[in-house]
Amino acid sequence: MPWRKQSKERVTLLLATSISGTEKLTTLMIEKSRNPMSFKGIKPFPLLHEANKKSWMTSEFFSEWLKQTNKKMCKEKKKIVLFIDNYMAHSLIPQMNAVKVVFLPPNTTSKLQPLDQGIIRSFKVFYRKERVKKVVDSIDKKHNIAV
């Protein structure tokens, strides 16, 4: 098999769920491009989408996601606790009345966060599969119209 250069494309996802997995909060996806070419003419996935040059989480993106989550919880008359790691982008925590943020102790994230136990990997595999399927379906539709 010939050697291939590994892609430097990157996607950052913020996933949050209840401890039972029955309640899932809106996913935040951060990519390099605000409007990826592969999504042109395709209905977007139901998630929040942000973009920056390195596809990294920023404190502004995280803070905005928290505000939207708080707004949703207020609307649903719920109060929740979010357990998060000490990543530097998690430093800008807005005032909220329906969401309480609790930081995990250092070096415990991989042990205490269930999402790190394979759920994030499964989500990424599912997302990539769905993205490819949508692109192929879109190409098929355009091909069928042209015939």
Side-chain angles (χ1 to χ4, degrees):
M1 179 175 188
W3 179 82
R4 286 189 325 180
K5 188 174 181 181
Q6 190 166 354
S7 172
K8 292 186 180 181
E9 287 300 312
R10 137 185 219 121
V11 172
T12 297
L13 294 170
L14 184 154
L15 300 171
T17 183
S18 65
I19 200 160
S20 66
T22 56
E23 175 96 22
K24 295 167 186 72
L25 297 178
T26 304
T27 299
L28 170 62
M29 180 173 70
I30 305 165
E31 290 188 276
K32 187 176 182 179
S33 172
R34 173 143 324 268
N35 300 308
M37 291 296 289
S38 59
F39 278 168
K40 190 171 182 162
I42 298 173
K43 185 181 170 199
F45 293 105
L47 48 78
L48 298 174
H49 187 260
E50 295 288 352
N52 68 24
K53 195 168 142 182
K54 295 193 176 196
S55 305
W56 286 353
M57 175 65 73
T58 66
S59 52
E60 290 81 16
F61 292 163
F62 185 68
S63 180
E64 188 57 37
W65 179 85
L66 282 174
K67 289 176 192 174
Q68 290 185 24
T69 301
N70 185 63
K71 188 175 180 180
K72 179 184 177 203
M73 293 299 117
C74 287
K75 192 184 233 182
E76 295 176 7
K77 295 184 168 92
K78 292 181 179 178
K79 291 195 175 211
I80 64 170
V81 175
L82 285 176
F83 293 96
I84 61 172
D85 60 17
N86 292 335
Y87 180 59
M88 65 184 171
H90 299 158
S91 60
L92 187 61
I93 307 296
Q95 280 294 110
M96 299 175 288
N97 46 3
V99 176
K100 180 179 179 179
V101 172
V102 175
F103 289 97
L104 294 170
N107 304 317
T108 61
T109 304
S110 63
K111 307 277 189 276
L112 298 178
Q113 283 190 342
L115 293 176
D116 281 346
Q117 305 299 322
I119 295 171
I120 293 172
R121 186 178 185 294
S122 295
F123 182 91
K124 286 180 178 181
V125 168
F126 172 78
Y127 169 79
R128 286 182 187 120
K129 183 176 117 184
E130 289 300 307
R131 189 168 179 173
V132 168
K133 192 180 347 175
K134 285 185 182 261
V135 170
V136 169
D137 288 348
S138 177
I139 291 168
D140 285 347
K141 285 178 186 174
K142 287 179 183 177
H143 181 70
N144 289 338
I145 293 170
V147 173

